[in-house]
Amino acid sequence: MAKLINGKEVAASVRAKVKEETEKFTNETGIQVGLAVIIVGDNPASRIYVNNKKKACEEVGFKSYEYALPAETTQDELLELVRTLNNDETVHGILCQLPLPAHIDEKTVINEINPEKDVDAFHPVNVGKIMIGDYNFLPCTPAGCMELIHSTGISVKGKNCTVVGRSNIVGKPMAMLLLHESGTVTVCHSKTVDLKEECKRADILVAAVGVPKLIKGDMIKEGAVVIDVGMNRLPDGKLCGDVDFEQASEKASYITPVPGGVGPMTIAMLMKNTLTAAKNMAAKGK
Ligand code: GUN
């Protein structure tokens, strides 16, 4: 029977460390760390995420600035706000909650964020830095998954790692982070011919596709570490991951639950990135 990886606990310890370091940073520099969060429209899931981000800011001692814009906001208006925040020295991190309404091009907006304030690490400059292993920030969800893997005490080095999903936000950077730690990485997607075989080879399996319970027990190697990034809402209103938790728990050595696994880590890593941004700006005298 697999041991549970408790994301709530690991996330709380990351936030506690950020809080301690923030206190020290603020005492030494007189700078209060600021995170600006932009939300456009009224997507209920986005609203919950943004509220949780604000709560985490309070907990670690940051000032949070929320910009809740109506769904009809034009792309130009949003870009103007991003430029204003780029030039605001009380703001160290800028996060534009995705998805944006269909009439706004997400790429254009992300490209406008000053890479030094891009605490999501979505800007092409930051994506490129991650690729070459020379980064300031890691994207929050993959970085959170790495923390969870580290919490098991199992080393990635030399392990077969399978990532299911190739999104820019999770799958691709996740593969890169596993590679940086010398894992042998396979990335699976909708055109993968034999998903079961690819998964069964994995000592470390990360599922990030958004398909409820796609990964069944017979797709998991005995003793594997299973990280479930999925956050799917079932017709009965319950949340479930991309992994069939009941079945997978019979095979894995460690597994993340949904909820309470990867979810809380994303926000904890956002706090870490925002503090890093503030420290880097202070070091440059900005
Ligand atoms: N929407 C879902 N996840 C994320 C995230 O990590 N960052 C942003 N900006 N939007 C999201």
Side-chain angles (χ1 to χ4, degrees):
M1 196 68 184
K3 290 197 185 90
L4 268 193
I5 304 177
N6 189 332
K8 278 191 201 162
E9 258 174 43
V10 181
S13 87
V14 170
R15 290 198 308 273
K17 186 150 180 270
V18 172
K19 181 180 161 125
E20 192 185 312
E21 284 182 25
T22 300
E23 227 166 70
K24 189 162 168 264
F25 173 74
T26 301
N27 283 340
E28 283 171 8
T29 61
I31 296 169
Q32 182 171 32
V33 180
L35 174 66
V37 179
I38 305 170
I39 175 169
V40 186
D42 48 14
N43 179 320
S46 292
R47 176 35 70 197
I48 295 171
Y49 288 133
V50 167
N51 288 349
N52 288 339
K53 286 169 186 177
K54 279 164 61 183
K55 229 178 345 183
C57 281
E58 268 170 43
E59 182 189 335
V60 301
F62 297 171
K63 181 145 181 61
S64 69
Y65 306 90
E66 180 184 308
Y67 296 86
L69 307 180
E72 319 75 71
T73 302
T74 66
Q75 180 166 303
D76 281 346
E77 285 167 337
L78 181 54
L79 292 174
E80 194 49 44
L81 172 60
V82 170
R83 284 184 211 112
T84 303
L85 296 171
N86 281 342
N87 293 323
D88 183 340
E89 61 184 31
T90 64
V91 170
H92 304 96
I94 302 171
L95 179 147
C96 187
Q97 187 67 30
L98 304 179
L100 290 168
H103 65 279
I104 299 178
D105 181 50
E106 289 182 356
K107 235 190 264 176
T108 305
V109 176
I110 289 167
N111 285 356
E112 198 66 32
I113 298 174
N114 175 354
E116 293 185 359
K117 298 190 179 189
D118 168 41
V119 284
D120 266 324
F122 290 168
H123 191 286
V125 164
N126 289 322
V127 174
K129 280 171 169 278
I130 291 157
M131 188 89 177
I132 59 173
D134 168 30
Y135 42 77
N136 294 319
F137 316 118
L138 292 175
C140 303
T141 300
C145 293
M146 292 308 290
E147 289 283 331
L148 294 178
I149 295 168
H150 295 154
S151 77
T152 66
I154 291 172
S155 164
V156 173
K157 191 170 167 182
K159 298 288 187 330
N160 285 334
C161 305
T162 298
V163 179
V164 186
R166 56 172 157 180
S167 71
N168 288 332
I169 294 185
V170 185
K172 285 185 205 167
M174 188 70 226
M176 205 51 60
L177 300 191
L178 290 164
L179 190 57
H180 286 327
E181 295 195 11
S182 302
T184 301
V185 183
T186 303
V187 181
C188 299
H189 45 76
S190 55
K191 305 294 182 292
T192 295
V193 173
D194 194 342
L195 180 64
K196 183 173 167 182
E197 257 333 287
E198 302 296 348
C199 290
K200 270 181 85 170
R201 284 194 291 119
D203 303 302
I204 298 172
L205 178 64
V206 181
V209 264
V211 179
K213 301 190 185 187
L214 175 72
I215 310 295
K216 304 290 180 199
D218 65 357
M219 298 166 79
I220 292 170
K221 182 175 177 177
E222 199 72 46
V225 174
V226 177
I227 306 291
D228 190 351
V229 185
M231 185 75 81
N232 309 294
R233 184 76 62 185
L234 295 174
D236 65 3
K238 282 193 188 142
L239 278 179
C240 93
D242 293 347
V243 176
D244 187 319
F245 182 83
E246 304 299 322
Q247 292 184 10
S249 304
E250 300 288 326
K251 302 285 283 293
S253 59
Y254 290 92
I255 188 166
T256 60
V258 176
V262 175
M265 292 305 295
T266 299
I267 296 183
M269 302 317 283
L270 174 69
M271 299 299 111
K272 185 173 170 185
N273 282 351
T274 306
L275 177 59
T276 301
K279 282 183 176 175
N280 288 347
M281 275 176 241
K284 288 185 181 173
K286 286 185 187 169

